[in-house]
Each structure stands twice: as structure tokens, then as C-alpha cells.
Amino acid sequence: MEKAQARSRLDLAREVLQTEADAILALSRRLNGDFLRAVEAILACTGRIVVTGMGKSGHVGRKIAATLASTGSPAFFVHPAEAAHGDLGMITAQDVVIALSNSGESGEVVALLPALKRKGLVLIAMTGNPASSLGREADILLDTQVEKEACPLGLAPTTSTTVQMALGDALAVTLLDARQFGPEDFALSHPGGSLGRRLLVHVKDLMHSGEELPRVTPGTALKDALLEMSHKRLGMVAIASADNVICGIYTDGDLRRTLEHSGNIYDLNIDQVMSPAPQTILHSKLATEAVHLMEQRRITSLLVVDADGKLAGAIHMHDLLKAGVV
């Protein structure tokens, strides 16, 4: 009995997904010049894109506004009931309004139509009923009608909201392409995300410099270089002249090799044991490039140079991990 019930539930779930998939495919086949007119109207907009809708259409509208805003088309959501009580003042004649209503007769949305029309703005309707009040008043009509809801009762907005969401994504992505909105632009809208960290964080933002940088001059006794390395806790010390010309680097790994092959390390100076011509990275490079270089060279730290090739700092893999770049 339980197995039969489980199969029945899986069949219903698959039927829901198939119904919604079929509706999206049907929508794609009937996209026409109205969609292109909507794109052109938004591209020509000198104000903002205002999205509104009631109930489930309102929830979808919030998502559409968020997607538009994060992909280069400034947008925000206005609740139609709140708009009727003062928030309509947020909307200007320079804006484009996208109104969502499957029936096209949502009372709160329809009540806004006279005021929106008086403002002289462009009204784009996303409705499943072109003959509705919203459909008739719209400057541009995007038809989102569906054959049936996926809900077995035919009551809960399911297929209709999925189609609205998909059409909103199609609109946002088409606008993204038209605006030539690239990864760097996307990162600026998402500075807290992993993409933002990868594309906005540079080596100079994370490097240790000044008093934080472990460094000694050529000829320094090894024991003094080790004290500097231990004090700054980067597992390395840079060897550079007074005018910041890099001479070498000495790391924890170099110390282990020194102990294996030398009798008394207190008799050595840093010039005798350092690694000359170390790997460096320009301070203006992306932090992700430092990660790639460290992985390629199988090292955990890099000396950082300025535009003149002079020592500017040092960066460790731990810095990159802490910043979330890796």
C-alpha cells in the first residue's frame, strides 16, 4: 500500500513538472514583437522599472524586480495596495511599470490604472487574460496565459506563476545582453558574493605591507632573519635592499633544508641560504591570479611588487582563504 502511494505521489509530482514545462515551451513559441517592444521601452527608460502585482503575482514580481536590478536594469517592487495609499508617489513619468496579474482583474492593480495612465508612463502588462482591464489599458501586452494550472483543483496559482517567473527571467537576460552587462558589472552588484570577491578583490587589498611585512636587508645574520620571520608570522621573510629591490626570499621550507645541510646556522647570513629571484606578483592583479600562481608553483606565499618591480608587500594563501577568494 505504501509503495503504491509513493508511486502515485511521484506520478503527480512529475505531472506538475511536465505541465509547467509544457507551458513554458508554449510561451516561448508565441513570443513576438510585443516582447521586443517591452525590451526597447525598458532600454529607453530614463527612470526606473517599477514592478507591481498582488498575491502570488506580487511574490513573483518581487523576484523579477530583484533579478532586473542585479543584472543592470534598475528596478524595484511596489505593492499595489500600498501604492494606492501614498506609495504611488514613488513612481514618475520617466518610469516603466510592469504590472502582473494572471486574471488581469486584480482589484488593487486595476485601481492603479487611471493614476498610472495619467502619469503618461509606459505600462507593460504581464497577464494571462489579454481581454482584461489590465490587458486593455496596457501600452505593451505580454501574454502569459496557460492551458491549465498544475494544481489538481485548478485553483492554486502554479503554472501561471511559473510562466510569469520564466518570462521575467527572459526579459532580464535579454536586457542584460542588450546592455552588454558583463561579469565585472555583475560583481559590482554582488560585492558580498563569491563572484564579487573573485572579480573585485585585488592583491593590494589583501597584501601585508609596511610594518606587517617580514623583510631584512642583504647580509643580515640568519638568526636575525629568523626572528623577523617568526615575529611577522607569514612563514617567510623577504630580502630586499634599502630601495626595495628584491634580492630573495627565505621560507619555512628553506629553513628545514638549511637545518638538514648546515652544521651551525648561527654562522650563516641570509645571503647564503635565501632563494634568489623569487616568484612575484603585481599588486594590481586580481587575488584569484595569486591563487592560481600559488597552486601552479605549489607555494603558499608570494612577494608583491609595484609597477616599478619594487617590493610592495607579501601575500599568503591564508589571506586568500580568509577573504573567501579561494
PDB file of all heavy atoms in Angstrom, residues 63-64 67 164-175:
ATOM      1  N   LYS A  63      10.530  39.016  -7.180  1.00  0.00           N
ATOM      2  CA  LYS A  63      11.690  38.295  -7.707  1.00  0.00           C
ATOM      3  C   LYS A  63      12.138  38.879  -9.041  1.00  0.00           C
ATOM      4  O   LYS A  63      13.338  39.039  -9.301  1.00  0.00           O
ATOM      5  CB  LYS A  63      11.354  36.807  -7.851  1.00  0.00           C
ATOM      6  CG  LYS A  63      12.568  35.922  -8.138  1.00  0.00           C
ATOM      7  CD  LYS A  63      12.882  35.818  -9.615  1.00  0.00           C
ATOM      8  CE  LYS A  63      14.092  34.935  -9.860  1.00  0.00           C
ATOM      9  NZ  LYS A  63      14.460  34.914 -11.299  1.00  0.00           N
ATOM     10  N   ILE A  64      11.185  39.213  -9.907  1.00  0.00           N
ATOM     11  CA  ILE A  64      11.524  39.801 -11.205  1.00  0.00           C
ATOM     12  C   ILE A  64      12.254  41.128 -11.010  1.00  0.00           C
ATOM     13  O   ILE A  64      13.273  41.402 -11.665  1.00  0.00           O
ATOM     14  CB  ILE A  64      10.262  39.990 -12.071  1.00  0.00           C
ATOM     15  CG1 ILE A  64       9.705  38.629 -12.499  1.00  0.00           C
ATOM     16  CG2 ILE A  64      10.566  40.855 -13.297  1.00  0.00           C
ATOM     17  CD1 ILE A  64       8.385  38.708 -13.235  1.00  0.00           C
ATOM     18  N   THR A  67      15.788  40.431  -9.889  1.00  0.00           N
ATOM     19  CA  THR A  67      16.617  39.915 -10.984  1.00  0.00           C
ATOM     20  C   THR A  67      16.995  41.033 -11.948  1.00  0.00           C
ATOM     21  O   THR A  67      18.146  41.127 -12.389  1.00  0.00           O
ATOM     22  CB  THR A  67      15.878  38.794 -11.732  1.00  0.00           C
ATOM     23  OG1 THR A  67      15.567  37.742 -10.826  1.00  0.00           O
ATOM     24  CG2 THR A  67      16.739  38.236 -12.859  1.00  0.00           C
ATOM     25  N   GLN A 164       5.036  33.330 -15.453  1.00  0.00           N
ATOM     26  CA  GLN A 164       5.406  34.719 -15.156  1.00  0.00           C
ATOM     27  C   GLN A 164       6.889  34.823 -14.788  1.00  0.00           C
ATOM     28  O   GLN A 164       7.604  35.710 -15.272  1.00  0.00           O
ATOM     29  CB  GLN A 164       4.559  35.251 -13.988  1.00  0.00           C
ATOM     30  CG  GLN A 164       3.108  35.503 -14.317  1.00  0.00           C
ATOM     31  CD  GLN A 164       2.321  35.919 -13.081  1.00  0.00           C
ATOM     32  OE1 GLN A 164       2.728  35.647 -11.951  1.00  0.00           O
ATOM     33  NE2 GLN A 164       1.193  36.573 -13.292  1.00  0.00           N
ATOM     34  N   MET A 165       7.331  33.913 -13.922  1.00  0.00           N
ATOM     35  CA  MET A 165       8.730  33.925 -13.487  1.00  0.00           C
ATOM     36  C   MET A 165       9.673  33.715 -14.667  1.00  0.00           C
ATOM     37  O   MET A 165      10.675  34.417 -14.816  1.00  0.00           O
ATOM     38  CB  MET A 165       8.955  32.829 -12.445  1.00  0.00           C
ATOM     39  CG  MET A 165      10.325  32.845 -11.800  1.00  0.00           C
ATOM     40  SD  MET A 165      10.398  33.990 -10.421  1.00  0.00           S
ATOM     41  CE  MET A 165       9.499  33.058  -9.181  1.00  0.00           C
ATOM     42  N   ALA A 166       9.347  32.744 -15.514  1.00  0.00           N
ATOM     43  CA  ALA A 166      10.200  32.443 -16.664  1.00  0.00           C
ATOM     44  C   ALA A 166      10.253  33.630 -17.629  1.00  0.00           C
ATOM     45  O   ALA A 166      11.324  33.966 -18.160  1.00  0.00           O
ATOM     46  CB  ALA A 166       9.692  31.195 -17.383  1.00  0.00           C
ATOM     47  N   LEU A 167       9.107  34.276 -17.848  1.00  0.00           N
ATOM     48  CA  LEU A 167       9.083  35.421 -18.753  1.00  0.00           C
ATOM     49  C   LEU A 167       9.884  36.588 -18.166  1.00  0.00           C
ATOM     50  O   LEU A 167      10.574  37.304 -18.895  1.00  0.00           O
ATOM     51  CB  LEU A 167       7.641  35.847 -19.022  1.00  0.00           C
ATOM     52  CG  LEU A 167       7.447  36.961 -20.051  1.00  0.00           C
ATOM     53  CD1 LEU A 167       8.068  36.586 -21.393  1.00  0.00           C
ATOM     54  CD2 LEU A 167       5.966  37.288 -20.219  1.00  0.00           C
ATOM     55  N   GLY A 168       9.806  36.747 -16.854  1.00  0.00           N
ATOM     56  CA  GLY A 168      10.611  37.778 -16.205  1.00  0.00           C
ATOM     57  C   GLY A 168      12.097  37.515 -16.368  1.00  0.00           C
ATOM     58  O   GLY A 168      12.886  38.439 -16.631  1.00  0.00           O
ATOM     59  N   ASP A 169      12.493  36.253 -16.258  1.00  0.00           N
ATOM     60  CA  ASP A 169      13.906  35.896 -16.466  1.00  0.00           C
ATOM     61  C   ASP A 169      14.323  36.167 -17.904  1.00  0.00           C
ATOM     62  O   ASP A 169      15.428  36.666 -18.168  1.00  0.00           O
ATOM     63  CB  ASP A 169      14.132  34.420 -16.127  1.00  0.00           C
ATOM     64  CG  ASP A 169      14.120  34.148 -14.633  1.00  0.00           C
ATOM     65  OD1 ASP A 169      14.270  35.104 -13.853  1.00  0.00           O
ATOM     66  OD2 ASP A 169      13.962  32.966 -14.251  1.00  0.00           O
ATOM     67  N   ALA A 170      13.453  35.811 -18.850  1.00  0.00           N
ATOM     68  CA  ALA A 170      13.764  36.043 -20.265  1.00  0.00           C
ATOM     69  C   ALA A 170      13.950  37.535 -20.532  1.00  0.00           C
ATOM     70  O   ALA A 170      14.857  37.939 -21.271  1.00  0.00           O
ATOM     71  CB  ALA A 170      12.647  35.486 -21.143  1.00  0.00           C
ATOM     72  N   LEU A 171      13.105  38.344 -19.914  1.00  0.00           N
ATOM     73  CA  LEU A 171      13.204  39.792 -20.075  1.00  0.00           C
ATOM     74  C   LEU A 171      14.509  40.312 -19.486  1.00  0.00           C
ATOM     75  O   LEU A 171      15.235  41.086 -20.130  1.00  0.00           O
ATOM     76  CB  LEU A 171      12.004  40.452 -19.388  1.00  0.00           C
ATOM     77  CG  LEU A 171      11.733  41.934 -19.667  1.00  0.00           C
ATOM     78  CD1 LEU A 171      11.496  42.159 -21.149  1.00  0.00           C
ATOM     79  CD2 LEU A 171      10.528  42.392 -18.858  1.00  0.00           C
ATOM     80  N   ALA A 172      14.845  39.864 -18.281  1.00  0.00           N
ATOM     81  CA  ALA A 172      16.061  40.333 -17.613  1.00  0.00           C
ATOM     82  C   ALA A 172      17.318  39.938 -18.382  1.00  0.00           C
ATOM     83  O   ALA A 172      18.243  40.738 -18.556  1.00  0.00           O
ATOM     84  CB  ALA A 172      16.125  39.775 -16.191  1.00  0.00           C
ATOM     85  N   VAL A 173      17.360  38.704 -18.866  1.00  0.00           N
ATOM     86  CA  VAL A 173      18.552  38.225 -19.573  1.00  0.00           C
ATOM     87  C   VAL A 173      18.693  38.911 -20.930  1.00  0.00           C
ATOM     88  O   VAL A 173      19.804  39.236 -21.368  1.00  0.00           O
ATOM     89  CB  VAL A 173      18.507  36.692 -19.726  1.00  0.00           C
ATOM     90  CG1 VAL A 173      19.647  36.204 -20.610  1.00  0.00           C
ATOM     91  CG2 VAL A 173      18.602  36.026 -18.347  1.00  0.00           C
ATOM     92  N   THR A 174      17.575  39.144 -21.611  1.00  0.00           N
ATOM     93  CA  THR A 174      17.628  39.854 -22.886  1.00  0.00           C
ATOM     94  C   THR A 174      18.140  41.279 -22.686  1.00  0.00           C
ATOM     95  O   THR A 174      18.953  41.785 -23.477  1.00  0.00           O
ATOM     96  CB  THR A 174      16.242  39.882 -23.542  1.00  0.00           C
ATOM     97  OG1 THR A 174      15.762  38.546 -23.702  1.00  0.00           O
ATOM     98  CG2 THR A 174      16.296  40.549 -24.908  1.00  0.00           C
ATOM     99  N   LEU A 175      17.694  41.925 -21.626  1.00  0.00           N
ATOM    100  CA  LEU A 175      18.165  43.277 -21.309  1.00  0.00           C
ATOM    101  C   LEU A 175      19.638  43.253 -20.925  1.00  0.00           C
ATOM    102  O   LEU A 175      20.412  44.136 -21.309  1.00  0.00           O
ATOM    103  CB  LEU A 175      17.339  43.864 -20.167  1.00  0.00           C
ATOM    104  CG  LEU A 175      15.891  44.230 -20.527  1.00  0.00           C
ATOM    105  CD1 LEU A 175      15.066  44.429 -19.262  1.00  0.00           C
ATOM    106  CD2 LEU A 175      15.869  45.494 -21.387  1.00  0.00           C
TER     107      LEU A 175
END
